Amino acid sequence: MSDKKEPSKISWVGALWLVVVAVAISGLLCWNFGKEAGYEEGHASGYSEGYETGKSNLQQKIPDMCQESYNHGYEKGLEAAASKTTGNDYNTQERPDNSRQASDEQSQTVYITNTGEKYHRDGCQYLRQSKIAISLDDAINQGYTACSRCW
């Protein structure tokens, strides 16, 4: 008895199955490789098209957005001004009457500038560069008139 085994032979059916499996595997690999290439190409073109569309839409909306922002800020400023009535905050809707009694005018301190022709209340935005204290009566006698912003 011999211990030698004869090599097994592959039948034509087995060989056919090997060919089918090899073709299927190579087809799957090619499909996956092509899918990735197609994905990259589609992603790049879709990104570019989406970017351009978004940019165009934004450019059309910017004027409206700016106007809306301006209106919102303007309304908030009016609300804030309406809620402030004392100190350095001036209410634009409720300004005091310019016809004050003489005793109030003599005792009230106002401010003038080196170059201006108006008198101001303390905290007025126009007093940034110079601020000289003077009584209201003296300011009127010297020809100064009230600032339209703070009076």
Side-chain angles (χ1 to χ4, degrees):
M1 293 218 222
S2 143
D3 288 340
K4 284 187 173 184
K5 291 186 177 178
E6 207 173 299
S8 62
K9 296 181 182 178
I10 299 177
S11 69
W12 68 271
V13 174
L16 181 63
W17 275 110
L18 282 177
V19 170
V20 168
V21 169
V23 168
I25 290 173
S26 66
L28 184 62
L29 290 175
C30 291
W31 171 79
N32 194 36
F33 187 72
K35 180 183 98 174
E36 287 181 19
Y39 173 80
E40 293 297 324
E41 181 182 325
H43 179 268
S45 69
Y47 178 86
S48 296
E49 184 178 331
Y51 176 82
E52 292 301 323
T53 301
K55 184 177 171 183
S56 174
N57 289 344
L58 184 61
Q59 287 175 341
Q60 292 171 359
K61 291 179 182 178
I62 284 177
D64 292 336
M65 290 169 53
C66 290
Q67 186 63 42
E68 288 173 14
S69 296
Y70 171 81
N71 290 343
H72 177 74
Y74 183 79
E75 290 168 6
K76 289 295 180 185
L78 284 179
E79 290 171 10
S83 68
K84 297 177 182 179
T85 58
T86 61
N88 294 338
D89 302 321
Y90 302 110
N91 187 333
T92 59
Q93 296 176 352
E94 297 177 13
R95 294 189 179 171
D97 187 10
N98 286 337
S99 60
R100 297 189 176 267
Q101 296 178 354
S103 61
D104 287 345
E105 291 178 357
Q106 291 174 356
S107 65
Q108 189 170 9
T109 301
V110 295
Y111 299 89
I112 59 173
T113 62
N114 289 331
T115 58
E117 299 173 354
K118 306 285 184 183
Y119 58 88
H120 307 269
R121 290 185 178 177
D122 188 27
C124 181
Q125 70 180 32
Y126 295 119
L127 293 174
R128 289 186 203 150
Q129 294 182 357
S130 62
K131 181 178 175 181
I132 303 164
I134 187 173
S135 73
L136 180 58
D137 190 41
D138 288 342
I140 292 171
N141 289 338
Q142 292 179 25
Y144 288 94
T145 57
C147 168
S148 63
R149 183 77 172 168
C150 62
W151 284 89

